């Protein structure tokens, strides 16, 4: 059996900066034609860099190289050249250095003491943590993130894989490694800039007719309670139709895991708690068109609950849309020659009209100032599957897919492929759930940049 796919193309977002508008805002910033949409209010930023003691000479040199280049620029880079923090953002970074004791097993406590001490005198702490991953729930990375949110401290964590990339660049300074390193420095700079209150760019146009995007993410904490019952953290985040973050809330729930379907639902006893959670964040939905984004985890009853609660709160319309986290479909891996026949950002097709679609948001792309971007060879390009879960009498539209694409491109890590696959609302609500699952004393983040 076979069927013919007829792909269509969504318009990619245009971004507004100070002095111009572009498909590719990084190109505009690096060329000097544009400035950030909103600058940092201070002309000088005091940054304390914390590194472990002991630290290897190789790691020390790599960290010093990364921070020097962050501040002063990369001379040999060509495309989208990083010219230095002050040149791009008009704010000077003043770097000071200190270390923390890494010799004990519980070295995180030493970091937190430094964070508490220096966050009163410095605008930002850059912390090198020699961890191989950030993803372990309750691990060192998330403990530091949680502490920073609770104490309203601004931090930027660098972990070992990042330093390893710098080491690789220093040992093999060919053009390919130069471009990857240039991207790495851009990502670090954009993260720091946004954490300090800057806005690098915003959408030129909003995503009307949707008024509110509500994202649901869940972390099931390690361990099983009573067989099929599992303790977890459910996070809801609210975004407006400019893709701007407005609010967060989380709750501790007891989930029922339906093993045969691999899905979660709340127990009958927990429905009231889930209802109250949604009610609390949905105070401003009256008369508005609401789209809920969630992933593959949830059974039908959760979709019904979300719909009923939001309609009861006075929402004009509600759609529950599932965005697939992973895709089995893998295209164009290790192809050497470029071609304009490659899928462009925003290519989509419907598997079932009005219900299920495939959408390209991923891959590594080559951007041009005044035309849509194309994929670069050697990178895996995976469409995501998008489906309307509830209610069935509505339709999944082209505009719904465009909103997902635009929310995907809003995150300031424009060049970091793993982070640009899924929309910002789902990525950051999932990050918030990971942080809360690591420390349930975390309250609502003051702003979304605490989650970066």
């Amino acid at each position: 059996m076979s069927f013919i796919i007829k792909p269509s193309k969504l318009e990619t977002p245009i971004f507004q900066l100070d002095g111009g508008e572009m498909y590719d805002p990084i190109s505009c910033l690096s060329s000097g034609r544009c400035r950030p949409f909103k600058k940092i209010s201070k002309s000088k930023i005091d940054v304390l860099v914390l590194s472990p003691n002991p630290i290897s000479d190789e790691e020390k040199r790599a960290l010093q190289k990364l921070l020097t280049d962050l501040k002063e620029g990369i001379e040999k880079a060509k495309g989208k050249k990083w010219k230095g923090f002050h040149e791009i953002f008009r704010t000077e970074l003043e770097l000071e250095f200190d270390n923390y004791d890494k010799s004990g097993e519980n070295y995180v406590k030493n970091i937190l003491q430094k964070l508490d001490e220096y966050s009163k005198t410095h605008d930002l702490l850059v912390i090198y943590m020699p961890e191989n991953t950030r993803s372990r729930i309750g691990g060192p990375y998330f403990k530091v993130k949680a502490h920073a949110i609770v104490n309203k401290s601004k931090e930027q964590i660098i972990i070992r894989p990042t330093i390893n990339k710098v080491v690789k660049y220093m040992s093999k300074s060919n053009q390919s490694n130069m471009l990857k390193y240039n991207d790495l420095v851009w990502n670090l700079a954009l993260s720091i800039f946004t954490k300090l209150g800057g806005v690098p760019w915003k959408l030129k146009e909003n995503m009307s007719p949707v008024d509110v995007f509500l994202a649901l993410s869940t972390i099931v904490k390690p361990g099983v309670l009573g067989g099929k019952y599992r303790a977890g953290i459910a996070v809801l985040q609210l975004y407006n139709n400019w893709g701007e973050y407005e609010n967060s809330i989380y709750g501790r729930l007891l989930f029922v895991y339906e093993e045969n379907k691999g899905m979660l639902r709340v127990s009958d006893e927990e429905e009231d708690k889930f209802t109250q959670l949604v009610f609390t964040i949905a105070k401003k939905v009256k008369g508005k068109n609401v789209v809920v984004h969630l992933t593959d985890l949830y059974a039908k009853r959760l979709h019904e609950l979300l719909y009923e609660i939001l309609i009861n709160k006075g929402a004009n319309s509600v759609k529950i849309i599932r965005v697939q986290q992973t895709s089995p479909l893998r295209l164009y891996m290790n192809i050497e020659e470029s071609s304009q026949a490659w899928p462009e950002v925003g290519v989509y097709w419907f598997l079932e009209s009005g219900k299920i679609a495939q959408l390209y948001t991923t891959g590594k792309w080559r951007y041009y100032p005044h035309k849509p971007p194309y994929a670069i060879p050697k990178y895996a390009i995976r469409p995501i599957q998008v489906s309307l879960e509830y209610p069935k009498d509505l339709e999944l539209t082209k505009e719904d897919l465009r909103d997902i694409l635009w929310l995907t491109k809003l995150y300031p890590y424009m060049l970091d492929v793993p982070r640009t696959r899924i929309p910002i609302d789902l990525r950051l609500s999932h990050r918030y759930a990971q942080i809360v699952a690591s420390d349930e004393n975390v309250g609502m983040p003051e702003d979304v940049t605490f989650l970066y």
Side-chain angles (χ1 to χ4, degrees):
M1 182 174 126
S2 64
F3 59 93
I4 297 173
I5 293 173
K6 293 184 178 179
S8 300
K9 173 72 171 61
L10 297 167
E11 64 269 34
T12 49
I14 297 175
F15 295 99
Q16 186 73 44
L17 297 94
D18 181 10
E21 53 191 46
M22 295 278 284
Y23 284 112
D24 179 12
I26 290 180
S27 176
C28 203
L29 288 171
S30 66
S31 68
R33 295 193 302 274
C34 305
R35 296 297 176 195
F37 182 80
K38 177 187 173 186
K39 295 192 299 183
I40 299 171
S41 58
K42 298 177 70 173
S43 60
K44 186 187 76 168
I45 299 297
D46 292 317
V47 180
L48 182 76
V49 181
L50 282 178
S51 56
N53 182 25
I55 183 174
S56 71
D57 289 342
E58 184 179 63
E59 288 175 299
K60 189 174 183 178
R61 285 194 300 272
L63 180 62
Q64 185 68 51
K65 170 70 175 171
L66 177 61
L67 295 171
T68 299
D69 288 346
L70 171 73
K71 182 177 178 178
E72 299 177 5
I74 303 173
E75 290 184 4
K76 298 178 183 177
K78 294 181 179 178
K80 298 180 185 177
K81 184 174 181 180
W82 174 251
K83 299 178 181 179
F85 204 90
H86 182 266
E87 179 68 23
I88 300 293
F89 298 126
R90 290 295 188 263
T91 300
E92 192 70 43
L93 295 181
E94 291 289 334
L95 302 179
E96 296 179 41
F97 294 84
D98 198 356
N99 55 57
Y100 60 87
D101 184 6
K102 177 64 173 66
S103 57
E105 288 186 10
N106 189 20
Y107 77 94
V108 172
K109 184 172 73 172
N110 301 328
I111 293 177
L112 300 186
Q113 288 174 347
K114 294 282 188 178
L115 191 59
D116 290 341
E117 178 184 354
Y118 286 109
S119 60
K120 298 178 179 68
T121 57
H122 292 74
D123 301 298
L124 177 79
L125 269 72
V126 174
I127 307 166
Y128 172 42
M129 300 179 67
E131 296 288 324
N132 293 322
T133 178
R134 63 168 65 89
S135 61
R136 180 164 60 90
I137 302 300
Y141 177 88
F142 286 119
K143 284 183 178 177
V144 174
K145 295 295 292 185
H147 188 87
I149 292 175
V150 170
N151 294 280
K152 299 181 179 179
S153 303
K154 293 290 186 179
E155 44 63 41
Q156 173 66 48
I157 298 174
I158 298 172
I159 57 176
R160 180 172 277 135
T162 299
I163 293 300
N164 289 344
K165 290 177 184 177
V166 182
V167 170
K168 184 177 180 181
Y169 160 70
M170 292 169 69
S171 63
K172 297 180 179 179
S173 55
N174 57 39
Q175 186 61 29
S176 174
N177 277 310
M178 166 64 73
L179 294 174
K180 291 177 183 177
Y181 179 65
N182 195 48
D183 288 357
L184 186 156
V185 177
W186 263 105
N187 285 336
L188 178 62
L190 285 166
S191 182
I192 288 173
F193 178 72
T194 52
K195 283 176 180 175
L196 294 169
V199 179
W201 51 73
K202 66 173 293 184
L203 289 175
K204 181 186 175 185
E205 300 175 0
N206 65 16
M207 294 180 283
S208 179
V210 176
D211 301 300
V212 173
F213 293 94
L214 185 62
L216 170 62
S217 292
T218 297
I219 290 292
V220 176
K221 297 184 73 175
V224 177
L225 303 174
K228 64 180 179 179
Y229 294 100
R230 306 194 177 190
I233 304 293
V235 159
L236 290 151
Q237 282 193 338
L238 201 68
Y239 290 74
N240 64 23
N241 66 353
W242 286 94
E244 297 165 336
Y245 167 81
E246 293 197 343
N247 204 358
S248 292
I249 195 167
Y250 73 86
R252 305 169 185 87
L253 296 174
L254 194 62
F255 292 97
V256 179
Y257 181 64
E258 298 181 353
E259 194 162 353
N260 60 330
K261 297 179 181 178
M263 291 183 173
L264 296 175
R265 62 179 175 85
V266 287
S267 65
D268 295 339
E269 296 80 10
E270 297 283 282
E271 279 198 7
D272 285 346
K273 193 183 291 186
F274 182 74
T275 298
Q276 186 57 46
L277 192 66
V278 183
F279 255 76
T280 303
I281 201 168
K283 293 175 181 176
K284 299 180 181 179
V285 301
K286 187 174 182 179
K288 294 184 177 179
N289 300 315
V290 182
V291 166
V292 181
H293 287 155
L294 39 71
T295 54
D296 317 67
L297 281 175
Y298 309 102
K300 182 180 177 182
R301 180 56 186 152
L302 269 168
H303 303 151
E304 293 172 344
L305 269 176
L306 277 165
Y307 182 83
E308 291 166 8
I309 296 164
L310 294 168
I311 290 295
N312 287 339
K313 288 293 287 183
N316 182 54
S317 69
V318 178
K319 284 183 181 180
I320 314 292
I321 295 177
R322 178 178 65 84
V323 181
Q324 184 188 44
Q325 282 189 302
T326 57
S327 171
L329 187 56
R330 185 181 182 91
L331 301 178
Y332 309 119
M333 187 61 181
N334 295 326
I335 294 181
E336 297 297 330
E337 296 181 6
S338 64
S339 166
Q340 291 198 351
W342 298 58
E344 299 175 53
V345 172
V347 167
Y348 72 96
W349 65 89
F350 280 96
L351 299 175
E352 181 181 341
S353 180
K355 301 299 177 187
I356 305 174
Q358 297 276 350
L359 169 66
Y360 281 103
T361 64
T362 190
K364 186 135 178 138
W365 305 94
R366 178 168 288 119
Y367 288 87
Y368 302 92
H370 302 295
K371 61 181 179 179
Y374 287 91
I376 298 174
K378 297 186 181 181
Y379 289 89
I381 303 168
R382 299 170 182 261
I384 56 173
Q385 187 165 295
V386 181
S387 60
L388 177 69
E389 296 298 310
Y390 201 86
K392 294 300 183 184
D393 59 342
L394 296 180
E395 288 199 339
L396 182 70
T397 66
K398 170 186 173 181
E399 286 71 28
D400 293 323
L401 299 177
R402 187 196 66 176
D403 292 342
I404 290 170
L405 175 68
W406 285 24
L407 284 167
T408 300
K409 300 305 168 194
L410 263 177
Y411 200 56
Y413 293 94
M414 289 290 285
L415 300 172
D416 194 346
V417 176
R419 305 186 204 193
T420 58
R421 176 179 173 75
I422 301 296
I424 185 173
D425 55 351
L426 283 175
R427 289 201 301 278
L428 291 184
S429 59
H430 185 259
R431 170 61 67 87
Y432 188 31
Q434 289 175 309
I435 294 169
V436 172
S438 301
D439 182 349
E440 293 187 25
N441 294 315
V442 171
M444 189 176 81
E446 195 171 79
D447 64 69
V448 76
T449 63
F450 278 96
L451 306 177
Y452 289 174

